[in-house]
Amino acid sequence: MSAAAGVVHLVDRTPQLSGAEMVAALVPPPQFTTARFDTYRADPAYPSQQEAKDLLVRFAGGGPAPAKGGLFRRAKREPAPRPGVYLDGGFGVGKTHLLAAIYHDMPARRKYFGSFIEYTALVGALGYKNTVELFRGADLLCIDEFELDDPGDTMVMTRLLGELVTGGTRFAATSNTPPNALGEGRFAAQDFLREIHAMAERFQTVRIDGTDYRQRAVDGHAVSLSTSEYDAAIGDAAAVGTATDDRFEDLIAHLARVHPSRYIRLIEGVDTVGLRDVEVFTDQSAALRFVAFIDRVYDAQIPIRATGVSLDGVFPEEMLSGGYRKKYLRAMSRLVASTLA
C-alpha cells in the first residue's frame, strides 16, 4: 500500500532526476529482485538451459575452477574469457531471469542493470560524454532487450561499450527475437552480432532454447472497461492505494514533455494506472514514447484499468508492419498482462 491513498493525475507530475539518481535506478525490476541462479529452473527437455546456466555461473565468478594439470597430463586449456555474453533465445525462456542472476550473483563493487531504452535515454538526457564518465570504472553492465531497430541508438551503445570495455567493464545482454522466428533465437544472434560489429568479438553467444511461456499469457485482448466499471475500479484502487486517472490523449501529450529517463519517477508510488478514452495512435513518435512508458509500468508490476479501444489495439497495422514491429508486439503483450493483473 502506498503512503497516501487516493487519486492522482500523471499529467500533473513533472518529475526531475539527476544523473546520479538515473544511474542509481539501474537495478533489476521488482519481479526479478530475487532472481538468482539457484532459482532458475532449467527444463530437462532443453539441455541448453542448464548449459547456459552453468556457463553464466562461471561468467559471474562462481562454479568450480578449471582442473589443474597433473604430473603426466596437461591442464585443459580454457578459452580466454570474453568480457561480454549475449543471451540468445526466444521469448519466455528465462533470459531476463538469468541476466538478473548475473547481476545479483556477480561479486562486483559497481554494477548496473537496465533496458536498452533506459541506457539510451540516459545518454539523451545527460549527453554521451557525461554518460561515459558516469559508467567509467563500472564492473558490470547488464543490458536487457538490446534494440536493433534504431541504427543511431545501436551505434551509440556500441561506442559506449567500446569505451568502457577498455577500462575492464564486463557486459551481459539480451535482445528481442524477431516475431517470425517462432522461438528460434539464432536469428536474433546474427542480427545482434551484425549490428554491433565493432564489438561483436567481445561477446560470447549463450544459446537458450525452450518453450515460450509468455505466448500463452498474451492470448486474448487487453480488458477494456465501461465507464461505470472503470469508475468503480479506480475508486476501489484509490481506497487502498494510489490510483491515477488520466485521459489517454492527455497522458500521451504529457509524455512528450517528460524525458523517457524520467518515466520511472512519473509512476513512483502508484499502485494502479487508469486511462480513459483510449484511442488508436496516428503518430509513431507518440506511440514509441508510450511503449517506453509501458515498459516502466510493466517492470513496476502496476495494473492498468482503461476505457475505449482495447490497449493491445492502439498500434495500427501500418505501424505493426514497420521497423518497430518488435517493440509494439512486446508492448501489446505487456498491455494485455497489465489489464488482466
Side-chain angles (χ1 to χ4, degrees):
M1 179 174 172
S2 298
V7 175
V8 299
H9 305 288
L10 294 177
V11 295
D12 293 336
R13 294 184 166 194
T14 54
Q16 300 297 319
L17 277 174
S18 67
E21 288 173 320
M22 291 182 200
V23 172
L26 292 175
V27 296
Q31 66 268 40
F32 294 106
T33 298
T34 59
R36 301 292 190 279
F37 289 119
D38 288 346
T39 59
Y40 179 78
R41 297 291 175 256
D43 187 339
Y46 296 94
S48 64
Q49 293 188 9
Q50 184 63 47
E51 292 167 4
K53 175 181 173 180
D54 292 343
L55 188 152
L56 295 172
V57 166
R58 293 194 295 274
F59 176 82
K68 296 182 178 180
L71 183 61
F72 298 107
R73 63 184 176 89
R74 293 182 179 180
K76 181 181 178 181
R77 176 171 292 181
E78 294 286 329
R82 299 185 185 184
V85 289
Y86 166 65
L87 281 57
D88 171 38
F91 287 118
V93 296
K95 298 193 302 297
T96 301
H97 182 120
L98 288 170
L99 190 68
I102 294 172
Y103 173 91
H104 288 303
D105 287 353
M106 179 179 282
R109 183 176 57 88
R110 288 180 57 202
K111 50 189 176 180
Y112 304 99
F113 184 109
S115 68
F116 180 86
I117 292 176
E118 286 179 286
Y119 286 110
T120 54
L122 191 63
V123 174
L126 304 179
Y128 178 79
K129 183 178 179 181
N130 290 335
T131 304
V132 171
E133 291 307 314
L134 276 171
F135 287 125
R136 194 178 299 283
D139 299 297
L140 172 70
L141 256 64
C142 294
I143 309 165
D144 199 22
E145 297 179 339
F146 202 111
E147 300 285 2
L148 303 174
D149 46 24
D150 188 312
D153 283 347
T154 301
M155 184 173 66
V156 166
M157 280 301 293
T158 302
R159 183 183 167 200
L160 177 67
L161 298 183
E163 292 210 35
L164 296 177
V165 75
T166 60
T169 300
R170 305 180 76 191
F171 307 97
T174 73
S175 78
N176 301 119
T177 301
N180 61 356
L182 299 178
E184 278 296 314
R186 65 175 61 92
F187 299 104
Q190 292 170 355
D191 290 345
F192 177 80
L193 295 174
R194 183 183 65 248
E195 295 298 331
I196 65 159
H197 56 89
M199 280 286 293
E201 74 282 358
R202 304 279 193 173
F203 280 87
Q204 177 178 0
T205 298
V206 181
R207 178 83 176 132
I208 309 173
D209 297 291
T211 55
D212 181 358
Y213 75 85
R214 274 183 291 188
Q215 200 60 45
R216 298 191 298 271
V218 300
D219 289 341
H221 295 284
V223 176
S224 179
L225 304 175
S226 68
T227 300
S228 59
E229 290 171 333
Y230 175 88
D231 289 341
I234 295 301
D236 289 344
V240 294
T242 299
T244 72
D245 182 18
D246 295 272
R247 289 182 64 245
F248 185 76
E249 181 181 13
D250 295 339
L251 174 64
I252 299 306
H254 188 58
L255 292 179
R257 297 187 290 269
V258 178
H259 194 277
S261 62
R262 299 184 173 95
Y263 289 173
I264 185 66
R265 184 63 61 85
L266 192 65
I267 58 172
E268 188 174 51
V270 169
D271 300 296
T272 302
V273 168
L275 298 173
R276 294 181 185 267
D277 305 324
V278 173
E279 55 190 22
V280 176
F281 282 106
T282 57
D283 177 75
Q284 183 143 263
S285 294
L288 291 172
R289 283 191 290 268
F290 184 63
V291 168
F293 172 74
I294 290 304
D295 284 343
R296 302 287 75 74
V297 172
Y298 180 81
D299 285 345
Q301 296 289 279
I302 301 174
I304 298 175
R305 303 294 176 254
T307 71
V309 172
S310 178
L311 277 166
D312 62 308
V314 296
F315 307 113
E317 187 55 41
E318 56 266 30
M319 290 187 185
L320 291 175
S321 60
Y324 296 106
R325 175 177 172 82
K326 288 182 289 184
K327 285 185 179 180
Y328 294 139
L329 290 178
R330 183 187 71 231
M332 288 164 61
S333 70
R334 292 180 168 187
L335 286 162
V336 172
S338 297
T339 62
L340 293 173

